[in-house]
Amino acid sequence: MREHWEAQADSYYTKRGWSAADARVVELLGQHQHERWLEVGIGPGIVGAAAKRRWPAMRYYGLDLARNFLHLSRARLGRDLPLIQAAAEWLPLKTASFDGVLEMDTIHHLPRQLIPRTVAEISRIIKPGGRLISVEDWATIPDDERARLAYSLQAKRHSVAEGWEYHPSEPEWTVMFTAAGLHVESIEHPWRPLDLALFASLPHMAARAELRRLKGIWGDDLPTTTMSLFICRKV
Ligand SMILES: C[S@@+](CC[C@H](N)C(=O)[O-])C[C@H]1O[C@@H](n2cnc3c(N)ncnc32)[C@H](O)[C@@H]1O
């Protein structure tokens, strides 16, 4: 798994755009600007860099499995950013050692059976009363034709169909957070760009027809998807 992410770093960085979800996270972090936060799965550090620029007093730490992503984060965030190479499911960090944790688009990449354990690990390192901000995709119920087509295509992707990634629904996330001692205070639904190229190589005839319909509906507009942004308080 680590090799997979090591190989992804440069292309992910080039393709990773900016979204309403990113802007909202940076804004929310303003309520915690004098605190010690860890971003789990910091990737290329795009949100971390924006947060540090806007909230320079924040004590921001980054953790990632892949060294190549940590190099990218280092380049964006500078030498004094504490970075940790570790797996989210086995955090080499003290219990209750952070005021808050941010994770975006990371936990769903772990094997399904490790997701509850990873949530519990993250909860363990947050101080009582601290916060988890978790941003994940494909967790809402699709409520229009665009979303239904996108969800149908997403389900046909190899990594999803083969179970290499698992996207819990909002109720499943809520059950896991609660079991780990994290009270879900609110769920917001900011957008993120949806890269339709993700679906371009799906072999099924049905997928090709769905993709044509989806492209037709979006037309010249930027395709987007709805994220689930959970704000949780450590009990
Ligand atoms: C899709 S990227 C998201 C990166 C970043 N959060 C962002 O929004 O740009 C997923 C990140 O999670 C990291 N990752 C994957 N599995 C991990 C694990 N088990 N422990 C820690 N990091 C992991 C990858 O190396 C990658 O940087």
Side-chain angles (χ1 to χ4, degrees), residues 206-227:
R208 285 204 286 272
E210 284 175 342
L211 183 54
R212 271 197 303 278
R213 267 173 40 223
L214 189 57
K215 282 182 172 165
I217 296 175
W218 280 109
D220 292 333
D221 294 341
L222 174 73
T224 61
T225 190
T226 301
M227 306 299 284

Side-chain angles (χ1 to χ4, degrees), residues 5 12 16 39 41 43 64-65 69 86-89 104-106 109:
W5 286 108
Y12 178 82
R16 168 82 161 77
E39 184 175 351
D64 206 285
L65 189 62
F69 270 113
E89 60 273 32
M104 290 188 82
D105 202 7
T106 292
H109 290 293

